Amino acid sequence: MGLNMPAKTVVFTSVKKWDGDSNRYIASGEYIQMSGRAGRRGMDARGICVIMIDEKMEMSVIKDMVLGKPAPLISTFRLSYYTILNLLSRAEGQFTAEHVIRNSFHQFQYEKALPEVIQKITKLENEATLLDSSGENDLAEYHKLGLDISELEKKIMSEMIRPERALLYLVPGRLVKVRDGSTDWGWGVVVNVVKKPPASSTLPPALSAPRNNYIVDTLLHCSSSSSENGANGPRSKPCPPRQGEKGEMHVVPVPLPLLSGLSSVRISIPTDLRPPEARQNILFAVQELGKRYPQGLPKLHPITDMGIEETELVDLVHKLDGLEQKLCSHPLNKSDQSEQQLSWYQRKAELNHEIQQLKSKMRDSQLQKFRDELKNRSRVLKMLGHIDTDGVLQLKGRAACLIDTGDELLITELMFNGTFNELDHHQVASVVSCFVPCEKSSEQIRLRNELSKPMMQLSEAARKIAEVQRECKLDVNVEEYVESTCKPYLMDVIYCWSKGATFGEVIEMTDIFEGSIIRLVRRLDEFLNQLKAAAEAVGEVNLEKKFGLASESLRRGIMFANSLYL
């Protein structure tokens, strides 16, 4: 997108893209925008579009992509530091951040959806009134204990499966519980753990959690239909066996976040799992363990077994122990209460919970959430010296006001901590390239000596800023933040191009597409000009000159050709 160049043919190397939440199919508008580049004016009667498909794709999906309607406009407004600083700098009290939020398209869409919410609440309340029971108080208490325990277990498990904690225990033979949304696979057996790059080459690293890169190859009890490989296509997606179905054991790649339990039990597995008999013997072993532990397999304890001492997690574990004791001593735990009555009550509880959630959504305006975020982000700006205690913009804040291409907090930190002062303009161009989004290279990064130290300083500054944000109660994972802001995939390429290397030479240094390199260099040039303006605004003459030289060193050759009509 955004490329102004002629093309006879447009090739889609993938029909999926990362949008920050999931690896989804290209939307109709995106497909039309990109495929519409095909066909050179005055030279081609028609343009050619090639779509490379490397997996089974339903005809309805590709039809929607090629012929579908444009996606509806949905606000993705977020409160950034750049927005806050510019409001403080330019609004002069007329438009506060709260005023902007209140009158935003995001708030308008939120309020417009409220009548639909009211209708849904009425429908759910009518369904709930049709349900009635005796002994509802005991059922309510018992059900709530179960929900609270389940919620605590999810929070504890989320901490336990962080790669730095879980990988040590995910050894071959370990029993793990797998849940994919509403699909409960039950217990499986670990075969291997591998670290893989994100599935899409367009995945922004800032949105890629480290745990999502780990795949746990797990022996799971699958439906027999999952292994069928008919003449009409590849095998279907694995799924658990249906009620009464015998099923088979197969190795399924399971993303680390889908693990919902780690057992302290390990079993021996054969080195060769290709024979069906070998896998079936493991199924018998797992089923036998289920009979031996009717109350559930023993699980790894986060404190006594894994040695986790983080205060918040220890508190959660103690709270869970207390709730489990209450559940065991509850009268209904060992009573003859019918499953049907409990199932009935659970449905009514689910309805009431959904009703309360919807009512809460109506009461708690989105505005309040933005207020809390604004308060926390303002604390970050004060701690980093962008504003004073009265909210008045300082020198560092005035520089950050002019930067919207990269992470404004981190780049201004490098400007003011002296990192750029020690570098020449070629190194500056290389370091600043880390802030421009680009595809992730699958090759191992080896930086030359001139770039290793600046990269280390960048990582240290990123860690400091992440820790400050976490301290100010913002939901920031320190390691993920450092990984997202330190992207050295094209540092060597930019350094060599800045020093005069030819285009043919630099494209041999990476597996990233030529078009992606050109796009990054052009965006890098824009970013360097922003930094030059920011340095001028705060009186940093040497930095202003250095950013200017870095920009000039990039602006040559095919990278900045106005047109490819030659």
Side-chain angles (χ1 to χ4, degrees), residues 18 78 141 184 191 288 335 344 354 364 378-379 414 417-418 424 492 534:
W18 177 260
R78 68 183 185 88
E141 185 182 15
D184 188 358
V191 176
E288 186 61 34
S335 73
W344 164 87
E354 191 173 353
D364 302 333
S378 297
R379 285 184 61 202
L414 297 180
N417 70 8
D424 62 30
D492 245 10

Side-chain angles (χ1 to χ4, degrees), residues 88-113:
L88 291 172
S89 170
R90 302 171 189 178
E92 298 177 355
Q94 183 182 2
F95 297 114
T96 62
E98 187 169 317
H99 175 87
V100 170
I101 295 165
R102 189 186 297 276
N103 292 279
S104 68
F105 182 49
H106 183 281
Q107 187 68 13
F108 166 77
Q109 285 192 317
Y110 167 78
E111 292 173 357
K112 187 180 178 183

Side-chain angles (χ1 to χ4, degrees), residues 345-358:
Y345 178 76
Q346 285 173 351
R347 175 59 186 155
K348 186 169 184 178
E350 287 167 4
L351 287 171
N352 287 329
H353 178 70
E354 191 173 353
I355 290 166
Q356 291 306 316
Q357 289 286 95
L358 291 170

Side-chain angles (χ1 to χ4, degrees), residues 58 71 103 119 129 156 159 179 196 205 207 285 290-291 312 341 362 383 486 488:
E58 295 296 330
N103 292 279
Q119 287 179 5
T129 53
I156 293 170
E159 292 297 318
R179 174 179 281 276
K196 293 185 178 180
L207 301 169
K291 295 174 184 176
E312 290 181 10
Q341 193 173 5
M362 292 175 63
M383 290 183 69
C486 303

Side-chain angles (χ1 to χ4, degrees), residues 90-226:
R90 302 171 189 178
E92 298 177 355
Q94 183 182 2
F95 297 114
T96 62
E98 187 169 317
H99 175 87
V100 170
I101 295 165
R102 189 186 297 276
N103 292 279
S104 68
F105 182 49
H106 183 281
Q107 187 68 13
F108 166 77
Q109 285 192 317
Y110 167 78
E111 292 173 357
K112 187 180 178 183
L114 289 181
E116 294 178 16
V117 175
I118 294 170
Q119 287 179 5
K120 191 170 183 180
I121 288 173
T122 304
K123 183 179 178 181
L124 293 173
E125 285 177 337
N126 290 339
E127 185 179 346
T129 53
L130 297 175
L131 302 171
D132 195 10
S133 75
S134 57
E136 190 167 332
N137 290 338
D138 285 343
L139 282 165
E141 185 182 15
Y142 187 72
H143 182 66
K144 186 176 184 305
L145 280 171
L147 289 176
D148 290 345
I149 287 172
S150 177
E151 193 62 33
L152 278 175
E153 285 176 339
K154 285 180 185 176
K155 289 180 180 178
I156 293 170
M157 196 61 201
S158 177
E159 292 297 318
M160 289 174 65
I161 61 170
R162 283 167 58 175
E164 63 271 23
R165 292 172 176 166
L167 293 181
L168 181 65
Y169 298 91
L170 292 175
V171 293
R174 172 80 62 193
L175 268 72
V176 292
K177 202 167 191 179
V178 178
R179 174 179 281 276
D180 184 2
S182 59
T183 305
D184 188 358
W185 284 90
W187 291 99
V189 182
V190 174
V191 176
N192 188 29
V193 179
V194 292
K195 185 175 183 181
K196 293 185 178 180
S200 170
S201 60
T202 58
L203 174 62
L207 301 169
S208 171
R211 70 181 71 185
N212 292 341
N213 295 340
Y214 287 95
I215 300 295
V216 184
D217 290 331
T218 310
L219 269 169
L220 291 175
H221 192 195
C222 301
S223 170
S224 301
S225 60
S226 301

Side-chain angles (χ1 to χ4, degrees), residues 10 22 44 47 51 66 70 128 150 161 165 192 241 256 266 341 371 379 387 415 419 423 440 459 462 485 496 549:
V10 169
S22 62
D44 300 316
I51 305 175
V66 177
S150 177
I161 61 170
R165 292 172 176 166
N192 188 29
L256 183 57
R266 288 176 59 189
Q341 193 173 5
R371 283 195 189 112
R379 285 184 61 202
I387 58 177
M415 288 174 64
T419 297
L423 309 178
K440 188 171 183 178
S459 299
T485 51
C496 292
L549 289 171

Side-chain angles (χ1 to χ4, degrees), residues 290-504:
K291 295 174 184 176
R292 191 183 303 176
Y293 298 99
Q295 299 299 319
L297 296 184
K299 295 181 180 180
L300 279 177
H301 196 279
I303 301 173
T304 56
D305 293 329
M306 299 180 70
I308 302 174
E309 298 178 350
E310 191 175 308
T311 307
E312 290 181 10
L313 186 62
V314 171
D315 290 343
L316 288 175
V317 171
H318 289 158
K319 191 174 180 181
L320 178 63
D321 291 341
L323 288 176
E324 286 177 338
Q325 288 176 10
K326 284 185 180 179
L327 187 72
C328 289
S329 59
H330 196 279
L332 289 179
N333 193 47
K334 296 180 180 179
S335 73
D336 295 328
Q337 185 72 46
S338 71
E339 289 186 12
Q340 184 178 2
Q341 193 173 5
L342 270 174
S343 173
W344 164 87
Y345 178 76
Q346 285 173 351
R347 175 59 186 155
K348 186 169 184 178
E350 287 167 4
L351 287 171
N352 287 329
H353 178 70
E354 191 173 353
I355 290 166
Q356 291 306 316
Q357 289 286 95
L358 291 170
K359 287 183 176 179
S360 176
K361 181 181 177 182
M362 292 175 63
R363 286 194 303 268
D364 302 333
S365 169
Q366 197 76 1
L367 191 60
Q368 184 57 45
K369 294 180 182 178
F370 276 122
R371 283 195 189 112
D372 295 339
E373 187 182 357
L374 176 62
K375 180 181 175 182
N376 294 336
R377 287 185 179 271
S378 297
R379 285 184 61 202
V380 172
L381 293 172
K382 288 174 186 175
M383 290 183 69
L384 293 176
H386 289 264
I387 58 177
D388 64 15
T389 52
D390 297 320
V392 178
L393 212 62
Q394 302 301 294
L395 199 63
K396 192 186 281 188
R398 286 209 293 274
C401 276
L402 300 172
I403 300 166
D404 66 353
T405 297
D407 189 307
E408 58 270 40
L409 296 187
L410 182 53
I411 196 70
T412 49
E413 196 65 30
L414 297 180
M415 288 174 64
F416 282 80
N417 70 8
T419 297
F420 289 132
N421 295 339
E422 304 170 3
L423 309 178
D424 62 30
H425 65 275
H426 305 300
Q427 291 170 303
V428 166
S430 177
V431 171
V432 174
S433 72
C434 294
F435 290 84
V436 182
C438 72
E439 296 173 14
K440 188 171 183 178
S441 171
S442 59
E443 297 179 340
Q444 187 173 355
I445 306 298
R446 291 187 180 87
L447 295 178
R448 59 189 70 218
N449 294 335
E450 301 96 306
L451 304 178
S452 296
K453 183 181 177 184
M455 187 64 197
M456 192 179 301
Q457 291 172 314
L458 173 61
S459 299
E460 290 171 356
R463 188 172 299 279
K464 171 191 169 184
I465 289 171
E467 288 170 351
V468 168
Q469 293 184 86
R470 191 175 177 86
E471 185 181 335
C472 294
K473 298 181 180 178
L474 286 168
D475 185 18
V476 174
N477 182 298
V478 175
E479 297 305 323
E480 289 176 21
Y481 181 84
V482 173
E483 184 181 351
S484 71
T485 51
C486 303
K487 305 185 285 289
Y489 312 120
L490 287 176
M491 282 184 74
D492 245 10
V493 169
I494 299 301
Y495 183 74
C496 292
W497 177 257
S498 177
K499 296 202 79 171
T502 66
F503 188 67

